Amino acid sequence: MDTVAPPAAEAVFKLAGVRYVYNGRQVALDGIDLEIRAGEQVALLGANGTGKSTLLKMLDGIIGPSEGSMQALGADVRLVTAGDEAFRFHREVGLVFQDPDVQLFSPTVLDDVAFGPLQLGLSPEEVKRCCDEALDQMGIAHLADRAPFELSGGEKKRVAIASVLSLGPRVILLDEPTASLDPRTKWVLVNLIRMLGQSGRTIVTATHELDIVPVIADRVVVIGENRRVVADGRPSEVLANRELLIEANLIHEHLHQHGGLAHTHEHEHDGTHAHAHAAASGEVRTFRDPGP
Ligand SMILES: Nc1ncnc2c1ncn2[C@@H]1O[C@H](COP(=O)(O)OP(=O)(O)OP(=O)(O)O)[C@@H](O)[C@H]1O
Ligand SMILES: [Mg+2]
């Protein structure tokens, strides 16, 4: 996956000097310059509160820049997300929200997954085909008749993703898609994201989970605590830059103990790590613990 998209591909999003300020005072993005081209698979990394969700909402046309300019699908975002054009835009660009409760509002899972295709005015057969495929891809066909609000967090997450997949968007924006999923579901989903990318879709995934990045992305964009892009490159380059990752608060150093051995070293943001230490006997042991 460590390849870059051909330079000739069309720009799907082009942001220049974009700022976003909530309620006139809470700065969420502070000068974002970013171009994303068709067919790229981008991982968006950043510590809590650096503006990842805000940026994805902006790419989905839900909010517009407070300052700066943004083009989406080849035109000014204000034009493509207004009036009749908005329909085409939302068919082509789909966002899976960080919080599935924001996305799910229907009495049953099937209703939620069918909502988009029904809005598009597809025939009942086409709606069924889109839904079956999306439910199948997420492994949740057995949940079709359940009420979304009764599901577990991980199940809701999968329904939220299915409700976007059923529209078959060309551009998929995923906000922490693997958060709160069990390991098997997480890796099934990671594989699915990879396959969607290989089928030519443009995918932008906000995540803290560094282990999934090389699988789902061919490009990594890091947003720093200054709420600007502080790194943009191939996963192998960006993930090898420990200093940058510590500075961006994606891994951290702290003091802790394993079996009487106090030391400092780096952790990934999810707080888990495994590594080897020489014990007093000289024997090397590997520790795996939940971090702080
Ligand atoms: N609705 C809102 N009203 C006011 N401020 C907000 C709102 N939503 C987010 N913010 C602020 O904007 C900044 C960016 O938030 P955002 O949710 O985009 O960050 P994030 O990178 O997605 O964080 P996380 O990793 O915790 O999901 C934060 O300082 C946050 O407090
Ligand atoms: Mg977020």
Side-chain angles (χ1 to χ4, degrees):
M1 283 278 285
D2 220 348
T3 55
V4 277
E10 105 202 56
V12 177
F13 301 111
K14 207 166 173 178
L15 286 74
V18 164
R19 292 186 86 234
Y20 188 79
V21 186
Y22 285 100
N23 310 320
R25 56 197 148 85
Q26 189 63 46
V27 179
L29 300 172
D30 197 12
I32 298 281
D33 296 309
L34 181 66
E35 186 168 318
I36 295 176
R37 296 189 164 272
E40 282 191 302
Q41 283 102 62
V42 181
L44 196 59
L45 300 183
N48 291 139
T50 50
K52 300 178 300 298
S53 296
T54 304
L55 181 54
L56 290 185
K57 283 183 215 161
M58 195 174 281
L59 300 183
D60 193 46
I62 298 172
I63 55 174
S66 309
E67 282 174 43
S69 70
M70 175 178 164
Q71 296 222 316
L73 307 182
D76 188 287
V77 70
R78 280 168 299 196
L79 299 178
V80 292
T81 55
D84 291 345
E85 282 296 297
F87 195 66
R88 185 177 79 90
F89 184 84
H90 290 295
R91 182 175 183 171
E92 295 199 13
V93 181
L95 167 64
V96 178
F97 286 83
Q98 183 166 1
D99 175 4
D101 286 326
V102 175
Q103 200 131 21
L104 307 175
F105 48 82
S106 303
T108 72
V109 165
L110 183 60
D111 291 335
D112 261 326
V113 177
F115 183 79
L118 285 171
Q119 290 282 98
L120 292 180
L122 301 181
S123 69
E125 296 74 34
E126 284 171 312
V127 172
K128 184 171 176 344
R129 189 186 51 76
C130 292
C131 292
D132 286 349
E133 208 173 286
L135 290 168
D136 214 46
Q137 279 181 312
M138 293 316 301
I140 49 167
H142 61 290
L143 300 178
D145 298 327
R146 297 271 306 273
F149 67 85
E150 286 176 351
L151 301 176
S152 78
E155 288 168 339
K156 281 184 191 173
K157 195 99 194 171
R158 290 196 269 168
V159 177
I161 296 169
S163 74
V164 167
L165 289 183
S166 64
L167 271 165
R170 262 200 311 145
V171 181
I172 302 178
L173 311 168
L174 297 154
D175 199 348
E176 316 246 358
T178 52
S180 79
L181 296 183
D182 61 52
R184 190 179 62 223
T185 310
K186 168 176 158 175
W187 287 101
V188 165
L189 179 60
V190 164
N191 214 22
L192 176 70
I193 297 171
R194 196 168 70 96
M195 284 184 333
L196 290 169
Q198 283 170 344
S199 69
R201 290 179 171 86
T202 310
I203 303 192
V204 184
T205 310
T207 185
H208 288 137
E209 296 183 66
L210 302 186
D211 59 339
I212 71 171
V213 171
V215 187
I216 60 158
D218 53 33
R219 176 178 170 196
V220 180
V221 172
V222 181
I223 305 186
E225 295 190 295
N226 59 2
R227 301 188 163 94
R228 293 183 182 183
V229 175
V230 293
D232 187 345
R234 291 164 188 262
S236 55
E237 290 160 5
V238 175
L239 297 179
N241 191 342
R242 310 299 286 179
E243 214 170 294
L244 166 84
L245 298 179
I246 292 172
E247 179 68 29
N249 194 17
L250 289 161
I251 55 176
H252 63 280
E253 271 194 315
H254 76 114
L255 178 70
H256 67 163
Q257 284 196 308
H258 296 297
L261 208 62
H263 61 283
T264 64
H265 60 79
E266 295 150 10
H267 286 259
E268 292 189 5
H269 202 108
D270 68 359
T272 59
H273 66 273
H275 59 165
H277 291 291
S281 61
E283 145 213 18
V284 174
R285 284 189 246 152
T286 297
F287 294 87
R288 187 175 285 279
D289 70 21

